[in-house]
Amino acid sequence: MLTIWGRMNSLNVQKAVWAAEEVGLAYTRHDAGGAFGVVDTPAYRAMNPNGLVPVIDDDGFILWESNAIVRYFAARHGAGRLWPNDPAQRALSDRWMDWQCTAFYPAYHIAFHGTVRTPPEKRDPAAIAASVAKTEPLAELLDTHLARNAYLGGDMFSIGDIAVGPAVHRWLNMPVQRKPRPHLEAWHRRVTARPSAACFASLPVT
């Protein structure tokens, strides 16, 4: 039986749970991290010495790092769909997983935490504005790519969409002024309309 540890308002947990839902895996999820604690317990640290979420236990196979978990689920249960058989086609989607971690998240996360998780009286408007300004060119990059492609890897929904989807969901739902990005917004509607995406898209952005 698959077990997933992590709270559902975590971006990285959302990725792992979405991937599990997409390939039709039965699983049990336990809240962990943030207000739920758990991550500093010896038992949890034995699974993930980083003390972060998510972690999975797939019949004794322990794995942490959200993108690794998405790749594992896709390769084991979604070959030919989430995990394209052709290495070049797979790489076109896979690259967006790294881009989300190294470019998109670092740009927008200050605006997200500043507007969604920080009380109004403690917000830093200059830092929020700077974060939004850093994110806009990346949103434009996505919009341009999606003007030519139905999904991030081309014509087929795959691992890159799962990695980037929850992050874009945050970006489009945080209370900041954004430039309209019609292709990005259409892609967001398309991927979050998938039944598997309800695990995060139906929840408040917190």
Side-chain angles (χ1 to χ4, degrees):
M1 179 67 178
L2 171 66
T3 303
I4 303 173
W5 279 268
R7 67 194 193 281
M8 278 309 298
N9 68 339
S10 160
L11 173 73
N12 291 326
V13 174
Q14 290 171 359
K15 294 186 221 173
V17 173
W18 190 9
E21 291 279 352
E22 183 66 29
V23 297
L25 292 176
Y27 63 89
T28 299
R29 185 183 61 81
H30 299 295
D31 283 320
F36 297 100
V38 178
V39 295
D40 288 326
T41 63
Y44 192 89
R45 290 292 178 127
M47 293 189 295
N48 184 358
N50 297 293
L52 300 173
V53 292
V55 174
I56 67 165
D57 179 345
D58 189 13
D59 287 328
F61 174 64
I62 308 296
L63 185 63
W64 42 266
E65 285 297 328
S66 61
N67 282 353
I69 292 168
V70 171
R71 291 182 180 108
Y72 170 69
F73 288 159
R76 186 164 186 179
H77 303 285
R81 300 187 297 111
L82 290 186
W83 189 257
N85 293 323
D86 176 59
Q89 187 63 41
R90 186 165 65 244
L92 290 176
S93 188
D94 195 14
R95 64 180 172 182
W96 292 101
M97 303 184 78
D98 294 335
W99 179 87
Q100 183 270 321
C101 292
T102 62
F104 197 62
Y105 176 80
Y108 85 79
H109 85 279
I110 291 175
F112 174 77
H113 284 271
T115 59
V116 175
R117 294 186 175 171
T118 302
E121 68 276 9
K122 295 183 178 180
R123 292 175 186 169
D124 182 342
I128 292 169
S131 177
V132 171
K134 286 182 180 179
T135 308
E136 284 288 14
L138 302 174
E140 181 179 9
L141 182 155
L142 274 173
D143 191 66
T144 299
H145 178 74
L146 291 164
R148 304 187 301 268
N149 299 275
Y151 298 101
L152 291 181
D155 295 331
M156 185 171 65
F157 178 87
S158 57
I159 51 177
D161 301 285
I162 287 179
V164 177
V168 169
H169 187 66
R170 284 184 169 187
W171 169 246
L172 293 178
N173 284 281
M174 67 177 75
V176 297
Q177 291 294 317
R178 292 171 300 274
K179 295 180 181 178
R181 308 288 181 189
H183 307 293
L184 177 59
E185 292 159 16
W187 168 83
H188 171 257
R189 290 192 296 271
R190 193 156 55 246
V191 298
T192 56
R194 300 176 75 88
S196 59
C199 62
F200 75 93
S202 63
L203 303 175
V205 174
T206 60

